[in-house]
Amino acid sequence: MSLKLSREAFDDVLKDLGKEYKIYAPIRIKGEGRFSDTDVVRYGEVSGLDEIEIHEKAHFSPKEILFPITQTLFYFTEGEYQEPKYDEKKIIVFLRPCDINGVTRLDQVFLENGEDKDIYYERLREKVKFFMIECIEGFDNCFCVSMDANKTEKYAAAIRFGDDMLVEIKDEALINAFQEKGEFVNFEPTFIQENLVNVKLPDIEQITTETFEDDMWKEYAQRCIACGRCNFVCMTCSCWTMQDIAYDENNSSGERRRAWAGCHVDGFTDMAGGHGFRKNYGDRMRFKTMHKINDFKKRNGYHMCVGCGRCDDVCPEYISFSSCINKVTKLVGEERK
Amino acid sequence: MDINTKKIKKNAYRVTKVRGKTALRIRVPGGHLDVKYFDIIKEVAEKYGDGSVHMTIRQGFELPGIDFDKIPEINRMIAPIIQGLELDYGVSIDDIEGGYPAAGTRNVSACIGNNVCPFANYNTTDLAIKIEKAIFPNDRHVKIACTGCPNDCIKAHMQDFGIIGQVEPIYEASRCVGCEACVKNCKKRVTGALRMENYKVKREEDRCLGCGECILKCPTGAWRRNPEKYYRVVIMGRTGKKNPRLAETFLEWVDEETIIKIITNTYTFIEEYIDKEAPLGKEHIGYIVDRAGYHVFKEYALKDVVLGPKAQVANHIDFGGYKYERNIYFTK
Ligand code: SF4
Ligand code: SF4
Ligand code: SF4
Ligand code: SF4
Ligand code: SF4
């Protein structure tokens, strides 16, 4: 079912849905960006249409809603433990097709990787409905089309923002909220067909240990500063580490948390005794690249990277991941379709 | 040749070592200007000067080799510069065709600031212009500069008033992954105001300079900027033949309004305490403060100033530097 709504009507619907759902969308936080007099655009809870920022790509991905940056798994006191309070409220997330495809990757990692599901992820994931922001033009550094992540069917509703709002509703549970607020129209979202950046993917059959030892990684040893920004803005990076905290006042009580970890960051491969596998920053770049466009596909049949381009947007050293993929492809040859 | 040197000096021209020749100083408040003014500077230098221009430490242009009798013509030629770089900024000058009406209070200079520099905590040029508007024209000898962060590229520490940008970093613990990038960096490059405690970061406010490096370094945006602008004000730094010294902190975590107010208040202090017998009626503000005492200066400077809740005022300043005169305490 598709509808046309005025912005006011859409706003009313959001307010209405807000009673039942927490609604997350990209928002612009004025003046709180990294540099002075700059804004940060990232995910936050919204209560109205005007709070949603659709003209700029969110600097951080929506993965933090499903996979929080830090998450308390349980609290403990001596022999007992307790899980944190579970918020029953359902969730709506406004996001673009690439990011919805990114969630597919997170699902793969957290729910379909081995026998046990990650219940912390699952519990959040079950509550989420996707409101897809139609994305026709994309932004600088996007290469979702090359990654085959420009299209998706997995949305509860798809929205074209404009002076009037066009909405396609797939999820029956939402129909009530929308139906009397607009007029029926024919609308299906359009998906971007061409990005400004194109990536040629490598033939992964040809990736060998020689590829790993190639000189191309040496350049990154010089250029990368191991800040980890590319990991943390990435829609599909899903590594985390455990943090056990014993409270100061009484160290037989405390909590266990998990926190995002990144393969570019110092300490990622550190073992007891101080040994680390990838001290060299070029090795870290190689590791990330191979995970995103080689290993993951070998395991799951499709690439991990969705081409959102956030890693390129954020790198302070202007290291472009899309260029890196192209370099690998130049080395081993193009993927055979 | 009959020249009233007092008059031409006030007009931003000077007596040079070459008899009969003068040099003009063009002010560039905030150190930033539209390139269209280069055309005028070039024309004046070629037509009346020796075809060259010196870039001064205060970010002005000095045009040497000018004949004294050409001053009125040149003043008419530079009217568009005075219009664009003074009047349009809100400075009041009665006779725009008469050149600069004063030269005592020097050009307010600025580092490149947040128009370009990632470290900058504010737009230094804009603030310099606001200060220029509040204090120019004025005959009293006062030097002011604005710098975006404690790196102090404009050398605010060599001024009577040095304005250094500060930012309050806001920490969102739930966004922090404990990578320690901010902690290590603050320790290595700043004051070590940060430490890890249970995988989270603690900031010791008293040790924090407000440089903003932690915000720049954080990969997850756990450190955010308070959009409120804050400033450190360092005072009475100087060079010269008596007692060169670096400026010392007078105020920190104050706002723009406070800065303008304390600077304008200082002019009242100068009128009250300047050495009436000083040669040529000129005495540098730092020496006046030395004579009158910091506490007297402070009282004048802070008159009617309402300080914000974060503001700090130095109780006492122990000015350092060194004195060229060796026999200052005992005479032979
Ligand atoms: S690797 Fe880069 S382009 Fe690919 S999903 Fe991550 S952030 Fe997006
Ligand atoms: S953002 Fe750039 S410099 Fe930082 S870790 Fe990633 S590739 Fe290296
Ligand atoms: S003082 Fe700071 S803001 Fe100004 S140019 Fe230097 S580093 Fe940049
Ligand atoms: S603002 Fe500067 S001094 Fe303060 S905590 Fe951050 S890095 Fe350290
Ligand atoms: S840099 Fe950011 S994420 Fe890392 S420890 Fe500091 S606040 Fe936490």
Side-chain angles (χ1 to χ4, degrees), chain B residues 11 13 71-79 96-100:
Chain B
N11 205 195
Y13 292 87
I71 289 178
E73 277 169 61
I74 294 170
N75 282 346
R76 279 193 297 278
M77 266 177 87
I78 63 167
I96 186 189
E97 305 238 301
Y100 292 99

Side-chain angles (χ1 to χ4, degrees), chain A residues 116-286:
Chain A
D116 294 318
K117 292 180 178 185
D118 184 306
I119 54 153
Y120 298 99
Y121 178 83
E122 189 182 28
R123 278 200 306 213
L124 280 166
R125 179 70 177 88
E126 281 170 354
K127 295 194 298 184
V128 173
K129 288 193 197 317
F130 298 136
F131 277 29
M132 188 185 80
I133 303 170
E134 184 188 53
C135 189
I136 303 176
E137 288 176 6
F139 299 98
D140 291 350
N141 293 326
C142 294
F143 57 100
C144 58
V145 177
S146 308
M147 297 316 297
D148 210 9
N150 55 323
K151 294 190 206 105
T152 181
E153 296 278 299
K154 295 183 191 163
Y155 52 83
I159 293 132
R160 178 178 295 173
F161 285 75
D163 295 336
D164 283 314
M165 304 288 289
L166 294 175
V167 188
E168 186 205 359
I169 302 151
K170 279 197 178 178
D171 186 326
E172 311 243 311
L174 294 167
I175 289 179
N176 267 342
F178 278 97
Q179 100 175 332
E180 274 159 28
K181 298 285 168 54
E183 57 183 272
F184 291 97
V185 285
N186 279 327
F187 165 67
E188 266 182 39
T190 307
F191 296 99
I192 186 166
Q193 293 304 328
E194 206 180 330
N195 300 123
L196 297 170
V197 174
N198 290 303
V199 160
K200 288 195 170 47
L201 287 159
D203 178 359
I204 59 173
E205 301 306 322
Q206 303 304 315
I207 292 179
T208 61
T209 41
E210 254 169 59
T211 324
F212 283 40
E213 281 150 17
D214 193 85
D215 274 355
M216 73 166 275
W217 306 110
K218 288 204 179 121
E219 180 194 333
Y220 297 108
Q222 302 298 320
R223 290 173 64 193
C224 174
I225 58 167
C227 68
R229 287 177 213 186
C230 53
N231 291 134
F232 297 131
V233 297
C234 177
M235 181 60 212
T236 59
C237 274
S238 43
C239 287
W240 48 272
T241 183
M242 211 63 105
Q243 299 176 344
D244 280 341
I245 290 104
Y247 298 145
D248 271 358
E249 292 72 16
N250 173 6
N251 56 23
S252 59
S253 68
E255 63 183 276
R256 169 166 287 190
R257 290 184 205 138
R258 71 167 161 197
W260 288 0
C263 54
H264 272 280
V265 182
D266 282 349
F268 186 76
T269 61
D270 283 2
M271 315 278 289
H275 180 72
F277 292 109
R278 288 183 295 277
K279 296 263 190 232
N280 181 295
Y281 298 167
D283 291 350
R284 298 180 191 181
M285 184 70 183
R286 188 206 64 225

Side-chain angles (χ1 to χ4, degrees), chain B residues 288-323:
Chain B
I288 308 177
V289 174
D290 288 355
R291 217 160 10 79
Y294 167 68
H295 289 280
V296 176
F297 161 77
K298 181 169 120 180
E299 211 171 287
Y300 271 82
L302 292 178
K303 188 160 182 286
D304 298 329
V305 169
V306 186
L307 292 171
K310 275 182 71 68
Q312 306 249 30
V313 185
N315 288 325
H316 173 75
I317 297 181
D318 214 357
F319 282 109
Y322 66 97
K323 301 197 167 70

Side-chain angles (χ1 to χ4, degrees), chain A residues 232, chain B residues 171-173 175-183 194 196 199-201 214 217-223:
Chain A
F232 297 131
Chain B
Y171 182 60
E172 208 177 315
R175 291 192 75 85
C176 171
V177 298
C179 72
E180 300 188 29
C182 57
V183 177
L194 301 177
M196 291 307 292
Y199 299 98
K200 297 290 176 193
V201 184
C214 46
K217 287 285 174 300
C218 181
T220 62
W223 285 113

